[in-house]
């Protein structure tokens, strides 16, 4: 990269230098200010008095964020890789709503997406322990998503069957189960233990079925929690594994304080 690109890259992407840290802290202050302005603008009494000022703040900050996004694209070595990364997508989505509000009124409320950019606070303030825990959680979720997908598929199938059964039982009772989709909605609300109470079975059979669904809901809630907990435990074990390979058998996965290979017994 040329001289000016290297200098701006250090300021924008690095938080280890005074200039880089000042840039990130100022960026986070602007993000908080923009989110506060959008929230206040949604309050009718405040919008009636300060609406123009809040809109001016919103547009000014959006222009600054747009310039920042362009600078990030220009100063990074691989622009597309940054643009398609998590923070690259978030940076883009944080400036689109304001411009979109010119066409669709009210879409500026999506500016709260900028709150995701505050995740950089862990990097800026060097909260390494938090970064490590976030990586641990991310690893556990990534490892358990297939199990959770199978679990959710099973739950959705159960809700479909329960909704159809409840419609069959309650369709003649004038209790609000007017269709299978409506009954599936009741099954979802009941199984998740939310229970709005806008629909309730009246027949004895319907109430028995509802009781079973409620009890089933408590058991179902615990399943994904257990899956993620197990994966987090495994991820934590892996995070404390040494990267050293055995000189004899090339085995890996040793404890950090291991002196001998756990596979062949050779000295490490």
């Amino acid at each position: 990269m040329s001289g000016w690109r290297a200098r701006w890259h250090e300021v924008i992407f690095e938080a280890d230098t005074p200039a880089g840290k000042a840039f990130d802290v100022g960026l986070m202050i602007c993000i908080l200010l923009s989110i506060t302005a959008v929230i206040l603008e949604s309050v009718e009494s405040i919008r009636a008095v300060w609406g123009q000022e809040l809109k001016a703040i919103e547009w000014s900050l959006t222009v600054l964020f747009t310039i920042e996004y362009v600078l990030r694209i220009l100063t990074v070595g691989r622009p597309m890789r940054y643009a398609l990364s998590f923070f690259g997508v978030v940076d883009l989505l944080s400036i689109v709503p304001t411009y979109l509000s010119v066409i669709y009124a009210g879409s500026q409320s999506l500016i709260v997406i900028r709150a995701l950019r505050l995740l950089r606070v862990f990097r800026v303030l060097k909260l390494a322990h938090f970064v490590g825990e976030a990586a641990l959680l991310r690893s556990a979720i990534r490892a358990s998503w297939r199990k959770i997908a199978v679990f959710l598929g099973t739950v959705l199938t159960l809700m479909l069957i329960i909704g159809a059964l409840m419609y069959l039982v309650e369709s003649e009772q004038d209790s609000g189960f007017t269709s299978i989709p409506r009954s599936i909605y009741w099954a979802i609300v009941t199984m998740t233990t939310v229970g709005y109470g806008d629909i309730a079975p009246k027949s004895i059979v319907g109430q028995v079925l509802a009781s079973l669904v409620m009890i089933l809901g408590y058991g179902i809630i615990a399943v994904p929690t257990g899956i993620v907990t197990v994966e987090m435990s495994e991820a934590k074990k892996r995070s404390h594994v040494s990267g050293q390979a055995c000189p004899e058998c090339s085995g890996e996965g040793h404890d950090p304080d291991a002196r001998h290979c756990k596979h062949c017994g050779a000295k490490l």
Side-chain angles (χ1 to χ4, degrees):
M1 291 189 294
S2 61
W4 72 270
R5 290 180 66 194
R7 288 194 298 272
W8 275 104
H9 182 276
E10 183 177 344
V11 172
I12 295 174
F13 285 95
E14 301 292 338
D16 295 333
T17 62
K21 187 171 184 178
F23 178 85
D24 281 341
V25 170
L27 179 63
M28 285 188 288
I29 292 174
C30 290
I31 292 170
L32 289 173
L33 182 60
S34 66
I35 294 172
T36 302
V38 171
I39 293 174
L40 292 177
E41 190 183 4
S42 67
V43 181
E44 186 176 354
S45 58
I46 297 177
R47 184 171 63 248
V49 179
W50 301 99
Q52 294 299 320
E53 289 80 359
L54 291 172
K55 192 168 289 292
I57 293 174
E58 174 190 325
W59 274 98
S60 299
L61 291 172
T62 298
V63 171
L64 285 176
F65 291 139
T66 303
I67 296 172
E68 178 228 349
Y69 179 77
V70 172
L71 285 174
R72 287 181 182 272
I73 293 292
L74 293 176
T75 57
V76 73
R78 298 181 180 178
M80 284 304 299
R81 186 171 182 177
Y82 159 73
L84 297 176
S85 67
F86 172 76
F87 278 115
V89 173
V90 169
D91 291 344
L92 178 61
L93 292 179
S94 69
I95 61 177
V96 168
T98 303
Y99 297 113
L100 194 61
S101 66
V102 177
I103 303 173
Y104 299 102
S107 59
Q108 69 270 16
S109 60
L110 296 175
I111 285 176
V112 293
I113 292 173
R114 289 174 184 170
L116 290 172
R117 304 189 70 189
L118 295 175
L119 293 175
R120 286 191 174 99
V121 70
F122 298 118
R123 178 176 64 89
V124 175
L125 301 181
K126 298 183 182 300
L127 302 179
H129 295 296
F130 290 90
V131 175
E133 294 300 326
L136 187 67
L137 180 60
R138 183 171 59 251
S139 175
I141 293 175
R142 186 185 298 116
S144 59
W145 77 267
R146 291 184 181 86
K147 300 183 185 71
I148 293 177
V150 173
F151 166 76
L152 290 177
T154 304
V155 171
L156 290 174
T157 303
L158 280 174
M159 290 179 176
L160 176 63
I161 296 172
I162 292 170
L165 287 174
M166 189 58 76
Y167 172 72
L168 178 64
V169 172
E170 292 288 325
S171 59
E172 302 295 330
Q173 299 295 325
D174 191 26
S175 54
F177 295 86
T178 56
S179 64
I180 292 180
R182 184 77 170 164
S183 302
I184 293 174
Y185 157 77
W186 170 87
I188 294 172
V189 170
T190 304
M191 190 173 288
T192 55
T193 70
V194 176
Y196 290 128
D198 51 344
I199 307 176
K202 293 183 179 179
S203 67
I204 299 297
V205 177
Q207 291 173 354
V208 171
L209 180 57
S211 300
L212 293 175
V213 173
M214 294 173 196
I215 295 172
L216 182 63
Y218 281 106
I220 284 176
I221 289 174
V223 174
T225 305
I227 292 173
V228 176
T229 300
V230 170
E231 292 297 339
M232 285 188 68
S233 177
E234 292 298 321
K236 199 167 186 66
K237 290 179 182 178
R238 291 193 296 269
S239 67
H240 289 86
V241 169
S242 170
Q244 185 176 11
C246 174
E248 296 294 331
C249 68
S250 299
E252 298 179 352
H254 305 98
D255 294 336
D257 59 348
R259 294 291 179 268
H260 295 82
C261 176
K262 64 180 180 181
H263 302 290
C264 68
K267 187 176 180 180
L268 297 176

